[in-house]
Amino acid sequence: MGGGKVTRPDFGLGQPDPGHPMTEFYTLLLEGLTGVETFALPGLYAKFDSPAWPIEASEARDWCSLSPAAKEGYAPILAPGRLRVLYSELRCTAAGAPAALVLTEEGTRNTCAVRLLPPFLWPSDEAAPPWPDATMALTLTLGPDAVELADSDPRALARHLIASQKGKAWVGHPKLDRWLEAQAIRWQKLWR
């Protein structure tokens, strides 16, 4: 009876392309998160460099500098910490290019998209995939030794990527959005 093809439903989500150069690193990190309770998060510090004219709240991000470490003149937005991982999944484009690893926080169900930045030059003709929907987003830059470690000791590389704050930087966070909105409102009031 039947004779049809049985497939796993993917609900329209792209499946990872094993030929893509970043798939190995995302898979390595995803496997490393199995059984791990927390993922290290960097700090978030911001500086609003106001222009010489009034701006809209939506333009505030264009006048903001971010840093994962404390610097002079930067306001503390978020202290370094740890995200308690409930579960994680790899999100890919329809073509199979990894877009980000999405971590779901235990207790809050907030999601954090983690995009790995390669230790090599990204082809200029290949645009970065769009960010998946997530509450927060950060980048994790792989060091120059990541390729060698992925071959010689992949578990050590995964442990380092999970436990260390090195190379991680926030791209988006709700606390940053609220801080930027407050800066834009303050700047608009000065121009009234």
Side-chain angles (χ1 to χ4, degrees):
M1 197 171 191
K5 183 178 176 185
V6 177
T7 60
R8 182 176 81 73
D10 61 5
F11 304 105
L13 299 175
Q15 298 302 306
D17 173 14
H20 192 280
M22 292 302 291
T23 300
E24 175 185 8
F25 294 105
Y26 278 102
T27 304
L28 181 78
L29 183 57
L30 187 61
E31 289 170 0
L33 284 164
T34 303
V36 172
E37 293 184 9
T38 62
F39 181 81
L41 298 174
L44 176 58
Y45 301 86
K47 181 179 180 184
F48 184 68
D49 297 314
S50 51
W53 54 85
I55 61 169
E56 296 297 321
S58 60
E59 297 174 302
R61 182 64 186 255
D62 298 337
W63 299 96
C64 180
S65 302
L66 302 178
S67 172
K71 290 183 178 179
E72 188 176 334
Y74 281 67
I77 306 296
L78 188 67
R82 304 197 71 75
L83 180 123
R84 292 189 55 83
V85 180
L86 179 62
Y87 55 87
S88 56
E89 65 178 313
L90 177 58
R91 298 278 178 89
C92 298
T93 65
L101 191 63
V102 178
L103 309 177
T104 301
E105 185 177 22
E106 185 178 343
T108 65
R109 302 281 179 156
N110 287 333
T111 54
C112 180
V114 179
R115 175 166 290 161
L116 300 179
L117 300 180
F120 44 81
L121 292 177
W122 197 265
S124 59
D125 59 334
E126 186 177 343
W131 284 93
D133 287 335
T135 312
M136 309 167 268
L138 62 89
T139 58
L140 195 166
T141 305
L142 299 172
D145 59 339
V147 175
E148 184 180 315
L149 268 175
D151 291 334
S152 64
D153 196 354
R155 289 183 184 194
L157 176 61
R159 281 192 305 271
H160 172 73
L161 296 176
I162 292 165
S164 175
Q165 296 168 355
K166 185 178 179 185
K168 296 176 183 175
W170 287 104
V171 175
H173 194 281
K175 288 185 178 182
L176 174 64
D177 295 340
R178 289 191 293 273
W179 184 81
L180 284 171
E181 184 179 338
Q183 298 306 308
I185 290 169
R186 184 181 58 82
W187 191 243
Q188 287 172 350
K189 285 181 181 176
L190 291 172
W191 280 92
R192 287 186 187 159

